Amino acid sequence: MGEKIEYGEFEKEMELSKEDLKEFLQKMLEKIDQGRITCKFEEREIYVDFVEPVKVKVEYEGSSEEEELKIKLKFKGKVLPEVPPFQ
């Protein structure tokens, strides 16, 4: 299992198939109702208990040759070194 992140910065860029993207987002969605974001990668595990509001930024750039849509979510909260179980 990957190293748990407590503080600092971590960035991960991935290229996913439609099915892999769906699975990745679904795992995040399952935790949002609980007020937690969980991201697990081979090299890192990140758990954040977040507070509202969540900032969402959408950027679109398009031309006749290429289109690009960026969606950025900002969750503010506390990064947890250990994940306490939900009751």
Side-chain angles (χ1 to χ4, degrees):
M1 201 171 309
E3 171 187 344
K4 289 189 175 95
I5 214 169
E6 290 185 45
Y7 302 105
E9 294 182 12
F10 174 71
E11 187 173 313
K12 176 88 174 179
E13 195 167 307
M14 302 174 285
E15 292 186 7
L16 303 174
S17 67
K18 284 189 275 187
E19 283 302 312
D20 289 340
L21 175 61
K22 181 180 170 182
E23 182 180 329
F24 179 80
L25 294 173
Q26 188 63 42
K27 286 179 182 179
M28 289 183 70
L29 288 173
E30 290 170 4
K31 299 294 182 179
I32 286 176
D33 282 339
Q34 300 171 351
R36 174 171 293 157
I37 289 296
T38 303
C39 294
K40 293 182 182 182
F41 307 103
E42 288 181 19
E43 65 276 14
R44 293 279 193 263
E45 293 179 29
I46 303 168
Y47 307 96
V48 179
D49 280 346
F50 67 91
V51 295
E52 295 179 68
V54 175
K55 289 187 179 182
V56 179
K57 181 178 182 180
V58 178
E59 293 181 32
Y60 172 80
E61 292 181 27
S63 70
S64 61
E65 297 174 13
E66 183 178 75
E67 292 181 296
E68 183 174 275
L69 177 67
K70 296 179 186 179
I71 301 172
K72 187 175 188 177
L73 306 171
K74 284 189 178 183
F75 295 91
K76 289 190 177 184
K78 181 175 172 116
V79 177
L80 304 172
E82 296 296 325
V83 181
F86 276 107
Q87 300 298 329

Coordinates of all heavy atoms in Angstrom, one line a residue:
M1 N 0.8 -1.2 0.0 CA 0.0 0.0 0.0 C 0.9 1.2 0.0 O 2.0 1.2 0.5 CB -0.9 0.0 1.2 CG -2.1 0.9 1.0 SD -3.4 0.8 2.2 CE -3.8 -0.9 2.4
G2 N 0.4 2.3 -0.5 CA 1.2 3.5 -0.7 C 1.4 4.3 0.6 O 0.7 4.0 1.6
E3 N 2.3 5.2 0.6 CA 2.6 6.0 1.8 C 1.4 7.0 2.0 O 0.9 7.6 1.0 CB 3.9 6.8 1.5 CG 4.2 7.9 2.4 CD 5.4 8.7 2.0 OE1 6.1 8.3 1.1 OE2 5.6 9.8 2.5
K4 N 1.0 7.2 3.2 CA -0.1 8.1 3.5 C 0.5 9.5 3.6 O 1.6 9.7 4.1 CB -0.7 7.8 4.9 CG -1.5 6.5 4.8 CD -2.4 6.3 6.0 CE -3.3 5.1 5.8 NZ -2.7 3.9 6.3
I5 N -0.2 10.5 3.0 CA 0.3 11.9 3.0 C -0.3 12.6 4.1 O -1.5 12.5 4.4 CB 0.0 12.5 1.6 CG1 1.1 13.4 1.2 CG2 -1.3 13.2 1.6 CD1 1.0 13.9 -0.2
E6 N 0.5 13.3 4.9 CA 0.0 14.1 6.0 C 0.0 15.6 5.6 O -1.0 16.3 5.7 CB 0.8 13.9 7.2 CG 0.6 12.5 7.8 CD 1.4 12.4 9.1 OE1 1.3 13.3 9.9 OE2 2.0 11.4 9.3
Y7 N 1.1 16.1 5.1 CA 1.2 17.5 4.7 C 2.1 17.6 3.5 O 2.8 16.7 3.1 CB 1.9 18.3 5.9 CG 1.1 18.2 7.2 CD1 1.5 17.4 8.2 CD2 -0.1 18.9 7.3 CE1 0.8 17.3 9.4 CE2 -0.9 18.8 8.5 CZ -0.4 18.0 9.5 OH -1.1 17.9 10.6
G8 N 2.1 18.7 2.9 CA 2.9 18.9 1.7 C 2.0 18.9 0.4 O 0.9 19.3 0.5
E9 N 2.6 18.6 -0.7 CA 2.0 18.6 -1.9 C 2.1 17.3 -2.7 O 3.1 16.6 -2.5 CB 2.5 19.7 -2.8 CG 2.2 21.1 -2.3 CD 2.8 22.2 -3.2 OE1 3.1 21.9 -4.3 OE2 2.8 23.3 -2.7
F10 N 1.1 16.9 -3.4 CA 1.2 15.7 -4.3 C 0.4 16.0 -5.5 O -0.7 16.6 -5.5 CB 0.6 14.5 -3.5 CG 0.5 13.3 -4.3 CD1 1.6 12.6 -4.7 CD2 -0.8 12.8 -4.8 CE1 1.5 11.4 -5.5 CE2 -0.9 11.7 -5.5 CZ 0.2 11.0 -5.9
E11 N 0.9 15.6 -6.6 CA 0.2 15.8 -7.9 C 0.3 14.5 -8.7 O 1.3 13.8 -8.7 CB 0.9 16.9 -8.7 CG 0.1 17.3 -9.9 CD 0.6 18.5 -10.6 OE1 0.9 19.5 -9.9 OE2 0.8 18.5 -11.8
K12 N -0.8 14.1 -9.3 CA -0.9 12.9 -10.1 C -1.6 13.2 -11.4 O -2.7 13.8 -11.3 CB -1.6 11.8 -9.3 CG -1.9 10.5 -10.0 CD -0.7 9.6 -9.8 CE -1.0 8.3 -10.4 NZ 0.1 7.4 -10.3
E13 N -1.1 12.9 -12.5 CA -1.7 13.1 -13.8 C -1.9 11.7 -14.4 O -1.0 10.9 -14.3 CB -0.8 13.9 -14.7 CG -1.6 14.5 -15.9 CD -0.8 15.5 -16.6 OE1 -0.4 16.5 -15.9 OE2 -0.7 15.4 -17.8
M14 N -3.1 11.4 -14.8 CA -3.4 10.1 -15.3 C -4.2 10.2 -16.7 O -4.8 11.2 -16.9 CB -4.4 9.4 -14.3 CG -3.8 9.3 -12.9 SD -5.0 8.6 -11.8 CE -6.1 10.0 -11.6
E15 N -4.0 9.2 -17.5 CA -4.8 9.0 -18.7 C -5.7 7.8 -18.5 O -5.1 6.7 -18.3 CB -3.9 8.9 -19.9 CG -3.2 10.2 -20.2 CD -2.4 10.1 -21.5 OE1 -2.5 9.1 -22.3 OE2 -1.6 11.0 -21.8
L16 N -7.0 8.0 -18.4 CA -7.9 6.9 -18.1 C -8.9 6.6 -19.2 O -9.3 7.5 -19.9 CB -8.7 7.2 -16.8 CG -7.9 7.6 -15.5 CD1 -8.9 8.1 -14.5 CD2 -7.1 6.4 -15.1
S17 N -9.3 5.3 -19.3 CA -10.3 5.0 -20.2 C -11.6 5.5 -19.6 O -11.7 5.9 -18.5 CB -10.4 3.5 -20.4 OG -10.8 2.9 -19.2
K18 N -12.7 5.5 -20.4 CA -14.0 5.9 -19.9 C -14.4 5.1 -18.7 O -14.9 5.6 -17.7 CB -15.1 5.8 -21.0 CG -15.0 6.9 -22.0 CD -16.2 6.9 -22.9 CE -16.0 5.9 -24.0 NZ -17.0 6.0 -25.1
E19 N -14.2 3.8 -18.7 CA -14.6 2.9 -17.6 C -13.7 3.2 -16.4 O -14.2 3.2 -15.2 CB -14.5 1.4 -18.0 CG -15.6 1.0 -18.8 CD -17.0 1.2 -18.2 OE1 -17.1 0.8 -17.0 OE2 -17.9 1.7 -18.8
D20 N -12.4 3.4 -16.5 CA -11.5 3.7 -15.4 C -11.9 5.1 -14.8 O -11.9 5.2 -13.6 CB -10.1 3.7 -15.8 CG -9.6 2.3 -16.1 OD1 -10.2 1.3 -15.7 OD2 -8.6 2.1 -16.8
L21 N -12.2 6.0 -15.6 CA -12.6 7.4 -15.1 C -13.9 7.3 -14.3 O -14.0 7.8 -13.3 CB -12.8 8.3 -16.3 CG -13.3 9.7 -15.9 CD1 -12.4 10.4 -15.0 CD2 -13.6 10.5 -17.2
K22 N -14.8 6.5 -14.9 CA -16.1 6.3 -14.2 C -15.9 5.7 -12.8 O -16.4 6.1 -11.8 CB -17.0 5.4 -15.0 CG -18.4 5.1 -14.4 CD -19.2 4.2 -15.3 CE -20.4 3.7 -14.7 NZ -21.2 2.8 -15.6
E23 N -15.0 4.7 -12.7 CA -14.7 4.0 -11.4 C -14.0 4.9 -10.5 O -14.3 5.0 -9.3 CB -13.8 2.8 -11.7 CG -13.5 2.0 -10.5 CD -12.6 0.8 -10.8 OE1 -12.7 0.2 -11.9 OE2 -11.8 0.4 -9.9
F24 N -13.0 5.7 -11.0 CA -12.3 6.7 -10.1 C -13.3 7.7 -9.5 O -13.2 8.0 -8.3 CB -11.2 7.4 -11.0 CG -10.4 8.4 -10.3 CD1 -9.4 8.0 -9.4 CD2 -10.7 9.8 -10.4 CE1 -8.6 9.0 -8.7 CE2 -10.0 10.7 -9.7 CZ -8.9 10.3 -8.9
L25 N -14.1 8.3 -10.4 CA -15.1 9.3 -9.9 C -16.1 8.7 -8.9 O -16.5 9.3 -8.0 CB -15.7 10.0 -11.0 CG -14.8 10.9 -11.9 CD1 -15.5 11.4 -13.1 CD2 -14.2 12.0 -11.1
Q26 N -16.6 7.5 -9.3 CA -17.6 6.8 -8.4 C -17.1 6.6 -7.0 O -17.8 6.8 -6.0 CB -18.0 5.5 -9.0 CG -19.2 4.9 -8.3 CD -20.5 5.7 -8.4 OE1 -20.8 6.3 -9.5 NE2 -21.2 5.8 -7.3
K27 N -15.8 6.2 -6.9 CA -15.2 6.0 -5.6 C -15.2 7.3 -4.8 O -15.4 7.3 -3.6 CB -13.8 5.4 -5.7 CG -13.8 3.9 -6.1 CD -12.4 3.4 -6.2 CE -12.4 2.0 -6.7 NZ -11.1 1.4 -6.8
M28 N -14.9 8.4 -5.5 CA -14.9 9.7 -4.8 C -16.3 10.1 -4.4 O -16.5 10.6 -3.3 CB -14.3 10.8 -5.7 CG -12.8 10.7 -5.9 SD -12.1 12.0 -6.9 CE -12.3 13.4 -5.7
L29 N -17.3 9.9 -5.3 CA -18.6 10.2 -5.0 C -19.2 9.5 -3.8 O -20.0 10.1 -3.0 CB -19.5 10.0 -6.2 CG -19.4 10.9 -7.4 CD1 -20.2 10.4 -8.6 CD2 -19.8 12.3 -7.0
E30 N -18.8 8.2 -3.6 CA -19.3 7.5 -2.5 C -18.9 8.1 -1.1 O -19.6 8.0 -0.1 CB -18.8 6.0 -2.5 CG -19.4 5.2 -3.7 CD -18.6 3.9 -3.9 OE1 -17.7 3.6 -3.1 OE2 -19.0 3.2 -4.9
K31 N -17.8 8.8 -1.1 CA -17.3 9.4 0.2 C -17.8 10.8 0.4 O -17.8 11.3 1.5 CB -15.8 9.4 0.2 CG -15.2 8.0 0.2 CD -15.5 7.3 1.4 CE -14.9 5.9 1.4 NZ -15.1 5.2 2.6
I32 N -18.2 11.5 -0.7 CA -18.6 12.9 -0.5 C -19.8 13.0 0.4 O -19.9 13.9 1.2 CB -19.0 13.5 -1.9 CG1 -17.6 13.8 -2.7 CG2 -19.8 14.8 -1.8 CD1 -17.8 14.3 -4.1
D33 N -20.8 12.1 0.4 CA -21.9 12.1 1.3 C -21.5 12.1 2.7 O -22.1 12.5 3.6 CB -22.9 11.0 1.0 CG -23.8 11.2 -0.2 OD1 -23.9 12.4 -0.6 OD2 -24.3 10.2 -0.7
Q34 N -20.3 11.5 3.0 CA -19.8 11.4 4.3 C -18.9 12.5 4.7 O -18.4 12.6 5.8 CB -19.0 10.0 4.5 CG -19.8 8.8 4.2 CD -19.0 7.6 4.1 OE1 -17.7 7.6 4.1 NE2 -19.6 6.4 4.1
G35 N -18.7 13.5 3.8 CA -17.8 14.6 4.0 C -16.4 14.3 4.0 O -15.5 14.9 4.6
R36 N -16.0 13.3 3.2 CA -14.6 12.9 3.0 C -14.3 12.6 1.6 O -15.1 12.1 0.8 CB -14.4 11.6 3.8 CG -13.0 11.0 3.6 CD -12.7 9.9 4.5 NE -12.6 10.4 5.9 CZ -12.8 9.7 7.0 NH1 -13.1 8.4 6.9 NH2 -12.7 10.3 8.2
I37 N -13.1 13.0 1.2 CA -12.6 12.7 -0.1 C -11.5 11.6 0.1 O -10.6 11.8 1.0 CB -12.0 13.9 -0.9 CG1 -13.2 14.8 -1.3 CG2 -11.2 13.5 -2.1 CD1 -14.1 14.2 -2.3
T38 N -11.5 10.6 -0.6 CA -10.4 9.6 -0.5 C -9.9 9.3 -1.9 O -10.6 9.1 -2.9 CB -11.0 8.2 0.0 OG1 -11.7 8.5 1.2 CG2 -10.0 7.2 0.1
C39 N -8.5 9.4 -2.0 CA -7.9 9.1 -3.3 C -6.7 8.1 -3.0 O -5.9 8.4 -2.2 CB -7.3 10.4 -3.9 SG -8.5 11.6 -4.5
K40 N -6.8 7.0 -3.6 CA -5.8 6.0 -3.4 C -5.0 5.7 -4.7 O -5.6 5.5 -5.7 CB -6.4 4.7 -2.9 CG -7.0 4.7 -1.6 CD -7.6 3.4 -1.2 CE -8.2 3.5 0.2 NZ -8.7 2.2 0.6
F41 N -3.7 5.8 -4.6 CA -2.8 5.5 -5.7 C -1.8 4.6 -5.2 O -1.6 4.3 -4.0 CB -2.2 6.8 -6.2 CG -3.1 7.9 -6.5 CD1 -3.3 9.0 -5.6 CD2 -3.9 7.9 -7.7 CE1 -4.2 10.0 -5.9 CE2 -4.8 8.9 -8.0 CZ -4.9 10.0 -7.1
E42 N -1.0 4.0 -6.1 CA 0.1 3.1 -5.7 C 1.0 3.8 -4.8 O 1.5 3.2 -3.8 CB 0.8 2.6 -7.0 CG 0.0 1.6 -7.8 CD 0.8 1.1 -9.0 OE1 2.0 1.2 -9.0 OE2 0.1 0.6 -9.9
E43 N 1.4 5.0 -5.1 CA 2.4 5.7 -4.3 C 1.9 6.5 -3.1 O 2.6 7.0 -2.3 CB 3.3 6.5 -5.2 CG 2.7 7.7 -5.9 CD 2.0 7.3 -7.2 OE1 1.7 6.1 -7.5 OE2 1.6 8.3 -7.9
R44 N 0.6 6.8 -3.1 CA 0.0 7.7 -2.1 C -1.4 7.3 -1.7 O -2.1 6.8 -2.6 CB 0.0 9.2 -2.5 CG 1.4 9.8 -2.7 CD 1.9 10.3 -1.4 NE 3.1 11.1 -1.5 CZ 4.3 10.7 -1.5 NH1 4.6 9.5 -1.3 NH2 5.3 11.6 -1.6
E45 N -1.8 7.6 -0.5 CA -3.2 7.6 -0.1 C -3.5 8.9 0.5 O -2.8 9.4 1.4 CB -3.5 6.5 0.9 CG -3.3 5.1 0.4 CD -3.5 4.0 1.4 OE1 -4.3 4.3 2.4 OE2 -2.9 3.0 1.3
I46 N -4.6 9.5 0.1 CA -5.0 10.9 0.6 C -6.4 10.8 1.1 O -7.3 10.4 0.4 CB -4.8 11.9 -0.5 CG1 -3.4 12.0 -1.0 CG2 -5.2 13.3 0.1 CD1 -3.3 12.8 -2.3
Y47 N -6.6 11.2 2.3 CA -7.9 11.3 2.9 C -8.1 12.7 3.5 O -7.3 13.2 4.2 CB -8.0 10.3 4.1 CG -7.6 8.9 3.8 CD1 -6.4 8.4 4.0 CD2 -8.6 8.0 3.2 CE1 -6.0 7.1 3.7 CE2 -8.2 6.7 2.9 CZ -6.9 6.3 3.1 OH -6.6 5.0 2.8
V48 N -9.2 13.3 3.1 CA -9.4 14.7 3.5 C -10.9 14.8 4.0 O -11.8 14.5 3.2 CB -9.2 15.7 2.4 CG1 -9.5 17.1 2.9 CG2 -7.8 15.7 1.9
D49 N -11.1 15.1 5.3 CA -12.4 15.5 5.7 C -12.6 16.9 5.4 O -11.8 17.8 5.8 CB -12.5 15.3 7.3 CG -12.7 13.9 7.7 OD1 -13.1 13.1 6.8 OD2 -12.6 13.6 8.9
F50 N -13.6 17.2 4.5 CA -13.7 18.6 4.0 C -15.0 19.3 4.6 O -15.9 18.7 5.1 CB -13.8 18.6 2.5 CG -15.0 17.9 1.9 CD1 -16.1 18.7 1.6 CD2 -15.0 16.6 1.6 CE1 -17.2 18.1 1.0 CE2 -16.1 16.0 1.1 CZ -17.2 16.8 0.8
V51 N -14.9 20.6 4.4 CA -16.0 21.5 4.8 C -16.6 22.2 3.5 O -15.9 22.3 2.5 CB -15.6 22.5 5.9 CG1 -15.2 21.8 7.1 CG2 -14.5 23.4 5.3
E52 N -17.8 22.6 3.6 CA -18.4 23.3 2.5 C -18.1 24.8 2.6 O -17.8 25.2 3.7 CB -19.9 23.1 2.5 CG -20.3 21.7 2.3 CD -21.8 21.4 2.3 OE1 -22.5 22.0 1.4 OE2 -22.3 20.8 3.2
P53 N -18.1 25.5 1.6 CA -18.4 25.2 0.2 C -17.2 24.5 -0.5 O -16.1 24.7 -0.1 CB -18.8 26.5 -0.4 CG -17.9 27.5 0.3 CD -17.8 27.0 1.7
V54 N -17.5 23.8 -1.5 CA -16.5 23.2 -2.4 C -16.4 24.2 -3.6 O -17.4 24.5 -4.2 CB -16.9 21.8 -2.8 CG1 -15.9 21.3 -3.8 CG2 -17.0 20.9 -1.6
K55 N -15.2 24.6 -4.0 CA -15.0 25.4 -5.2 C -14.8 24.6 -6.4 O -14.1 23.6 -6.4 CB -13.7 26.3 -5.0 CG -13.9 27.3 -4.0 CD -12.7 28.3 -4.0 CE -12.8 29.4 -2.9 NZ -11.7 30.3 -3.0
V56 N -15.5 25.0 -7.5 CA -15.5 24.3 -8.7 C -15.1 25.3 -9.8 O -15.7 26.3 -9.9 CB -16.9 23.6 -9.1 CG1 -16.8 22.9 -10.4 CG2 -17.3 22.7 -8.0
K57 N -14.1 24.9 -10.6 CA -13.6 25.8 -11.7 C -13.7 25.0 -13.0 O -13.2 23.9 -13.1 CB -12.2 26.2 -11.4 CG -11.6 27.2 -12.5 CD -10.2 27.6 -12.1 CE -9.6 28.6 -13.1 NZ -8.3 28.9 -12.8
V58 N -14.4 25.6 -14.0 CA -14.5 24.9 -15.3 C -13.9 25.8 -16.3 O -14.2 27.0 -16.4 CB -16.0 24.7 -15.6 CG1 -16.2 24.1 -17.0 CG2 -16.7 23.8 -14.6
E59 N -13.0 25.2 -17.1 CA -12.3 26.0 -18.2 C -12.6 25.2 -19.5 O -12.4 24.0 -19.5 CB -10.8 26.1 -17.9 CG -10.4 26.9 -16.8 CD -8.9 27.0 -16.6 OE1 -8.2 26.9 -17.6 OE2 -8.5 27.0 -15.5
Y60 N -12.9 25.9 -20.5 CA -13.0 25.4 -21.9 C -12.2 26.1 -22.9 O -12.3 27.4 -22.9 CB -14.5 25.4 -22.3 CG -14.7 24.9 -23.7 CD1 -14.7 23.6 -24.0 CD2 -14.9 25.9 -24.7 CE1 -14.9 23.2 -25.4 CE2 -15.0 25.5 -26.0 CZ -15.1 24.2 -26.3 OH -15.2 23.8 -27.6
E61 N -11.5 25.4 -23.7 CA -10.8 26.0 -24.8 C -11.1 25.2 -26.0 O -11.0 23.9 -26.0 CB -9.3 26.0 -24.6 CG -8.8 26.9 -23.5 CD -7.3 26.9 -23.3 OE1 -6.6 26.6 -24.3 OE2 -6.9 27.2 -22.2
G62 N -11.5 25.8 -27.1 CA -11.9 25.0 -28.3 C -11.4 25.7 -29.6 O -11.4 26.9 -29.7
S63 N -11.1 24.9 -30.5 CA -10.8 25.3 -31.9 C -11.2 24.3 -32.8 O -11.7 23.2 -32.4 CB -9.3 25.6 -32.0 OG -8.6 24.3 -32.0
S64 N -11.1 24.5 -34.1 CA -11.5 23.5 -35.1 C -10.6 22.3 -35.0 O -11.0 21.2 -35.5 CB -11.5 24.1 -36.5 OG -10.2 24.6 -36.8
E65 N -9.5 22.4 -34.4 CA -8.5 21.3 -34.3 C -8.6 20.4 -33.0 O -8.4 19.2 -33.0 CB -7.1 21.8 -34.5 CG -6.8 22.4 -35.8 CD -5.5 23.0 -35.9 OE1 -4.6 22.7 -35.1 OE2 -5.2 23.8 -36.9
E66 N -9.0 21.1 -31.9 CA -8.9 20.5 -30.6 C -9.9 21.2 -29.6 O -10.0 22.4 -29.7 CB -7.5 20.4 -30.1 CG -7.4 19.7 -28.8 CD -5.9 19.6 -28.4 OE1 -5.4 20.6 -27.9 OE2 -5.3 18.5 -28.5
E67 N -10.5 20.4 -28.8 CA -11.2 20.9 -27.7 C -10.7 20.4 -26.4 O -10.2 19.3 -26.3 CB -12.7 20.5 -27.8 CG -13.4 21.1 -29.0 CD -14.9 20.7 -29.0 OE1 -15.1 19.5 -29.2 OE2 -15.7 21.6 -28.9
E68 N -10.7 21.3 -25.3 CA -10.2 20.9 -24.0 C -11.2 21.4 -22.9 O -11.5 22.6 -23.0 CB -8.8 21.4 -23.8 CG -8.2 21.0 -22.5 CD -6.7 21.4 -22.4 OE1 -5.9 20.6 -22.9 OE2 -6.5 22.5 -21.8
L69 N -11.6 20.5 -22.0 CA -12.4 20.9 -20.9 C -11.7 20.5 -19.7 O -11.2 19.4 -19.5 CB -13.7 20.2 -21.0 CG -14.7 20.4 -19.8 CD1 -15.2 21.9 -19.8 CD2 -15.9 19.5 -19.9
K70 N -11.5 21.5 -18.7 CA -10.8 21.3 -17.5 C -11.8 21.5 -16.4 O -12.5 22.5 -16.4 CB -9.6 22.2 -17.3 CG -8.5 22.0 -18.2 CD -7.4 23.0 -17.9 CE -6.3 22.9 -19.0 NZ -5.2 23.9 -18.7
I71 N -11.9 20.6 -15.4 CA -12.7 20.7 -14.2 C -11.9 20.6 -13.0 O -11.2 19.5 -12.9 CB -13.9 19.7 -14.2 CG1 -14.7 19.9 -15.5 CG2 -14.7 19.9 -13.0 CD1 -15.8 18.8 -15.7
K72 N -11.8 21.6 -12.2 CA -11.0 21.6 -11.0 C -11.9 21.7 -9.8 O -12.7 22.6 -9.7 CB -10.0 22.7 -11.1 CG -9.0 22.7 -10.0 CD -8.0 23.8 -10.2 CE -6.8 23.8 -9.3 NZ -5.8 24.8 -9.6
L73 N -11.7 20.8 -8.8 CA -12.5 20.8 -7.6 C -11.5 21.2 -6.4 O -10.4 20.6 -6.3 CB -13.1 19.5 -7.3 CG -14.0 18.9 -8.4 CD1 -14.3 17.4 -8.1 CD2 -15.2 19.7 -8.7
K74 N -11.9 22.1 -5.6 CA -11.1 22.4 -4.4 C -11.9 22.1 -3.1 O -12.9 22.7 -2.9 CB -10.7 23.9 -4.4 CG -9.6 24.3 -5.4 CD -9.2 25.7 -5.1 CE -8.1 26.0 -6.1 NZ -7.5 27.4 -5.8
F75 N -11.4 21.1 -2.4 CA -12.0 20.8 -1.1 C -11.1 21.3 0.0 O -9.9 20.9 0.0 CB -12.1 19.2 -1.0 CG -13.0 18.6 -2.0 CD1 -12.5 18.2 -3.2 CD2 -14.3 18.4 -1.7 CE1 -13.4 17.6 -4.2 CE2 -15.2 17.8 -2.6 CZ -14.7 17.4 -3.8
K76 N -11.6 22.1 0.9 CA -10.8 22.6 2.0 C -11.2 21.7 3.2 O -12.4 21.5 3.4 CB -11.0 24.0 2.3 CG -10.4 24.9 1.2 CD -10.4 26.3 1.6 CE -9.7 27.2 0.6 NZ -9.7 28.6 0.9
G77 N -10.2 21.4 4.0 CA -10.5 20.6 5.2 C -9.2 20.2 5.9 O -8.2 20.9 5.7
K78 N -9.3 19.1 6.5 CA -8.1 18.6 7.3 C -7.7 17.3 6.6 O -8.5 16.3 6.4 CB -8.5 18.3 8.7 CG -7.4 17.8 9.5 CD -7.8 17.7 11.0 CE -6.7 17.0 11.7 NZ -6.1 17.8 12.7
V79 N -6.4 17.2 6.3 CA -5.8 15.9 5.8 C -5.6 15.0 7.0 O -5.0 15.5 8.0 CB -4.5 16.2 5.1 CG1 -3.8 14.9 4.6 CG2 -4.7 17.1 3.9
L80 N -6.0 13.8 6.9 CA -5.9 12.9 8.1 C -4.8 11.9 7.9 O -4.7 11.2 6.8 CB -7.3 12.1 8.2 CG -8.5 13.0 8.3 CD1 -9.7 12.1 8.2 CD2 -8.5 13.7 9.6
P81 N -3.9 11.8 8.9 CA -2.8 10.8 8.7 C -3.3 9.4 8.8 O -2.8 8.5 8.2 CB -1.9 11.1 9.9 CG -2.7 11.9 10.8 CD -3.8 12.6 10.0
E82 N -4.4 9.2 9.6 CA -5.0 7.8 9.7 C -6.5 8.1 9.5 O -7.1 9.1 9.8 CB -4.8 7.2 11.1 CG -3.4 6.9 11.4 CD -2.8 5.9 10.5 OE1 -3.5 5.0 10.1 OE2 -1.6 6.0 10.2
V83 N -7.1 7.1 8.9 CA -8.5 7.2 8.6 C -9.4 6.6 9.7 O -9.4 5.4 9.9 CB -8.9 6.5 7.2 CG1 -10.3 6.7 6.9 CG2 -8.0 7.1 6.2
P84 N -10.1 7.4 10.4 CA -11.0 6.9 11.4 C -12.2 6.3 10.8 O -12.7 6.8 9.8 CB -11.4 8.1 12.3 CG -11.2 9.3 11.4 CD -10.1 8.9 10.4
P85 N -12.7 5.2 11.3 CA -13.9 4.6 10.6 C -15.1 5.4 10.8 O -15.3 6.0 11.9 CB -14.0 3.2 11.3 CG -13.3 3.4 12.7 CD -12.3 4.4 12.4
F86 N -16.0 5.4 9.8 CA -17.3 6.0 10.0 C -18.2 5.1 10.7 O -18.2 3.9 10.5 CB -17.9 6.4 8.6 CG -17.4 7.7 8.1 CD1 -16.5 7.7 7.0 CD2 -17.8 8.9 8.6 CE1 -16.0 8.9 6.5 CE2 -17.3 10.1 8.1 CZ -16.4 10.1 7.1
Q87 N -19.1 5.6 11.5 CA -20.1 4.8 12.2 C -21.3 4.6 11.4 O -21.8 5.4 10.7 CB -20.5 5.4 13.6 CG -19.2 5.6 14.5 CD -18.6 4.3 14.8 OE1 -19.2 3.3 15.0 NE2 -17.3 4.3 15.0

